[in-house]
Amino acid sequence: HMNDVEPEDVTHPVFRSHTNTQKKSVFISEYFTTAIVGMPEAESQMALKQLIDVTTHPSVVYKHVWKANQLILYDNRCLNHM
């Protein structure tokens, strides 16, 4: 279960550019992102909550209903695993 995993102490950008298209994407995890470096704690938590709310809103989430013989291809560099 994701909540049972201890996060590593690492730093990643909140926003990053796709290596091929240069399009920006949000690079956070509801389970592992704990703060935004350089922001006051309260402001950081508020910003993360807003980003998580936006990136997990049903209007932007794709849930696939599997059928026999289907193959799904996706770009893991800009996909939020939920």
Side-chain angles (χ1 to χ4, degrees):
H1 190 269
M2 292 296 287
N3 292 332
D4 297 334
V5 177
E6 281 294 320
E8 295 179 33
D9 188 19
V10 296
T11 302
H12 295 284
V14 173
F15 301 98
R16 65 182 186 173
S17 298
H18 189 282
T19 54
N20 297 100
T21 67
Q22 300 307 309
K23 288 185 179 182
K24 300 283 185 192
S25 63
V26 180
F27 189 58
I28 60 171
S29 166
E30 182 174 7
Y31 302 105
F32 297 112
T33 307
T34 58
I36 299 176
V37 175
M39 290 181 88
E41 181 66 23
E43 191 176 332
S44 171
Q45 293 307 307
M46 186 183 325
L48 285 173
K49 183 183 180 329
Q50 289 175 336
L51 287 169
I52 289 166
D53 288 349
V54 167
T55 59
T56 60
H57 191 272
S59 66
V60 298
V61 172
Y62 176 78
K63 292 185 179 183
H64 190 73
V65 178
W66 289 98
K67 297 177 185 168
N69 301 313
Q70 286 188 323
L71 172 69
I72 301 294
L73 298 175
Y74 59 87
D75 188 338
N76 203 42
R77 295 170 289 185
C78 52
L79 179 72
N80 185 9
H81 299 270
M82 297 176 44

